[in-house]
């Protein structure tokens, strides 16, 4: 593996010229840049991170702050997101810095440290102080999701409102009128948006939200199991369940089996599907109808957006909303008579 000195000697150029060519300085002509890049590939050149930082003023790394209270390294959503994120950055010889903290001021400390060129804000709350802190510092960041109010920041989100509006409409079209919603926690922006989509679809059919059919909780298998047990104990149990996570739906499925109820026959189920590599919704005992938006692709997109942001792309050009796809399978059918 060649270093900068080897590369410069091979080309007969100064190290300064080679460094500027590799970092795409406008003062270096296109022919020289091409020659340097071809030689770098030929000699398997990899930049020294410290030298690159001195030459460009950039750390060559982006930061992720993990909540202390959640073991995200065992969370399949985070693992898939991180896979897409790190793979995209590695292709550009960029690194990821991970730390754990529940203190929003950690973001300020990292922004001031020079260790990272930008940050990812995950699981945004309805009112999120982290957005305010980094916006006031004018430090590059991308939010995985959105907060309430006007968005004056870069973000990548899915159309949570539209996904659950469409899913609820489909169940209504099948004749369901008692539709339960198992959702994320009330402080999460995505959960509010999904509830509003559900509510708006019901309102279009002159159906009021029944609070006894709506649950907010951490999206785990056990929460799905617990709330399905409560729903099945109702005098008039729901004929359909809309679920915010495939992990929760594992618990839904387990409890329905214990109740001797079959998904798609006795109770229809639609789940949101993040396209997890470790949990294929088409492989459930009854293949799940889903709203799908793969989370690994979110990691890849956000990596590219961070790179664009530090290279000067305007925030208004880095606000992306992806539509979720409704995929119908055997877990949904017409409402039982």
């Amino acid at each position: 593996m060649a270093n900068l000195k080897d590369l410069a000697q091979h080309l007969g150029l100064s190290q300064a010229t080679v460094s500027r060519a590799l970092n795409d300085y406008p003062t270096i002509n296109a022919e020289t840049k091409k020659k340097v890049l071809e030689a770098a590939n030929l000699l398997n050149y990899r930049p020294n991170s410290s030298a690159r930082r001195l030459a460009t003023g950039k750390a060559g790394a982006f930061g992720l702050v993990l909540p202390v209270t959640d073991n995200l390294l065992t969370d399949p959503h985070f693992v898939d997101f991180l896979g897409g994120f790190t793979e995209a950055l590695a292709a550009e010889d960029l690194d990821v810095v991970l730390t754990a903290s529940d203190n929003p001021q950690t973001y300020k400390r990292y922004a001031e440290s020079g260790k990272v060129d930008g940050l990812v804000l995950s699981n945004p709350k309805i009112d999120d102080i982290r957005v305010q802190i980094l916006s006031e510092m004018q430090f590059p960041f991308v939010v995985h999701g959105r907060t309430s109010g006007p968005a004056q920041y870069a973000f990548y989100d899915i159309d949570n409102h539209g996904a659950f509006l469409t899913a609820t409409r489909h169940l209504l079209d099948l004749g369901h009128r008692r539709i339960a919603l198992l959702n994320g926690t009330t402080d999460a922006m995505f959960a509010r948006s999904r509830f509003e989509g559900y509510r708006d679809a019901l309102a279009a059919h002159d159906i009021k939200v029944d609070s006894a059919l709506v649950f907010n909780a951490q999206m785990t298998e056990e929460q799905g199991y617990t709330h399905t047990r409560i729903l099945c104990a109702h005098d008039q149990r729901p004929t359909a369940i809309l679920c915010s996570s495939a992990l929760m739906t594992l618990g839904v499925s387990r409890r329905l089996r214990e109740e001797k109820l079959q998904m798609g026959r006795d109770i229809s189920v639609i789940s949101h599907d993040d396209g997890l590599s470790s949990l294929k919704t088409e492989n459930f005992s009854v293949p799940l109808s889903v709203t799908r938006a793969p989370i690994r692709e979110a990691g890849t997109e956000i990596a590219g957006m961070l790179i664009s942001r530090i290279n000067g792309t305007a925030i208004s050009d880095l606000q992306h909303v992806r539509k979720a796809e409704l995929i119908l399978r055997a877990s949904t059918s017409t409402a039982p008579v």
Side-chain angles (χ1 to χ4, degrees), residues 253-266:
S253 176
R254 177 158 58 95
R255 184 61 198 186
L256 290 180
R257 287 196 301 271
E258 292 178 6
E259 297 279 349
K260 310 300 184 188
L261 298 171
Q262 183 176 324
M263 277 199 301
R265 183 191 67 193
D266 303 305

Side-chain angles (χ1 to χ4, degrees), residues 18-316:
V18 172
S19 176
R20 290 187 177 94
L22 289 168
N23 289 291
D24 201 24
Y25 275 58
T27 54
I28 306 299
N29 65 53
E31 183 179 350
T32 300
K33 289 178 183 177
K34 180 181 179 183
K35 186 193 307 183
V36 170
L37 289 174
E38 288 175 348
N41 288 329
L42 177 67
L43 299 179
N44 194 26
Y45 167 78
R46 289 293 181 272
N48 177 279
S49 59
S50 298
R52 179 171 59 185
R53 181 174 177 178
L54 288 171
T56 65
K58 295 178 180 178
F62 294 104
L64 282 168
V65 181
L66 315 181
V68 173
T69 50
D70 298 328
N71 188 6
L72 289 184
L73 294 178
T74 61
D75 183 333
H77 298 90
F78 177 74
V79 170
D80 274 16
F81 174 86
L82 189 63
F85 186 68
T86 55
E87 184 178 343
L89 293 183
E92 302 293 331
D93 288 322
L94 297 169
D95 298 322
V96 179
V97 176
L98 297 177
T99 190
S101 175
D102 290 325
N103 185 351
Q105 294 301 318
T106 299
Y107 289 83
K108 182 178 181 180
R109 178 171 62 83
Y110 259 76
E112 293 174 337
S113 71
K115 294 178 180 178
V116 296
D117 299 316
L119 287 160
V120 179
L121 272 60
S122 59
N123 192 25
K125 307 305 181 186
I126 292 170
D127 296 305
D128 203 311
I129 188 65
R130 299 174 298 172
V131 172
Q132 180 183 337
I133 289 171
L134 294 178
S135 295
E136 289 176 351
M137 296 179 69
Q138 297 185 333
F139 188 78
F141 68 96
V142 175
V143 179
H144 184 196
R146 281 175 285 180
T147 65
S148 61
Q152 305 296 330
Y153 52 85
F155 65 81
Y156 178 94
D157 199 6
I158 64 172
D159 182 7
N160 288 294
H161 178 278
F164 275 53
L165 179 75
T166 300
T168 308
R169 279 176 177 168
H170 178 69
L171 292 170
L172 290 163
D173 290 344
L174 291 173
H176 297 278
R177 293 298 179 266
R178 287 185 58 76
I179 302 170
L181 173 65
L182 305 189
N183 206 357
T185 56
T186 55
D187 62 344
M189 188 64 199
F190 78 86
R192 174 196 273 188
S193 297
R194 291 177 184 181
F195 170 77
E196 290 173 348
Y198 163 83
R199 177 202 64 198
D200 292 348
L202 292 178
H205 283 71
D206 295 321
I207 301 173
K208 292 183 178 180
V209 172
D210 183 347
S211 60
L213 298 180
V214 177
F215 294 92
N216 294 91
Q218 293 292 330
M219 296 190 298
T220 65
E221 179 178 351
E222 285 309 309
Q223 290 291 347
Y225 177 91
T226 297
H227 294 310
T228 303
R229 176 177 54 79
I230 295 169
L231 288 169
C232 289
H234 279 219
D235 291 337
Q236 287 186 303
R237 69 167 183 255
T239 63
I241 298 174
L242 186 55
C243 196
S244 264
S245 164
L247 287 177
M248 292 182 89
T249 311
L250 285 172
V252 173
S253 176
R254 177 158 58 95
R255 184 61 198 186
L256 290 180
R257 287 196 301 271
E258 292 178 6
E259 297 279 349
K260 310 300 184 188
L261 298 171
Q262 183 176 324
M263 277 199 301
R265 183 191 67 193
D266 303 305
I267 293 185
S268 288
V269 177
I270 297 180
S271 175
H272 182 68
D273 178 13
D274 289 296
L276 300 178
S277 58
S278 61
L279 183 59
K280 302 295 185 183
T281 52
E282 60 269 34
N283 293 338
F284 272 55
S285 57
V286 176
L288 279 180
S289 293
V290 296
T291 58
R292 173 174 285 176
I295 198 168
R296 187 182 182 92
E297 291 181 14
T300 301
E301 290 292 325
I302 288 173
M305 292 170 69
L306 273 171
I307 294 169
S308 296
R309 184 74 191 100
I310 67 167
N311 287 333
T313 301
I315 286 174
S316 58

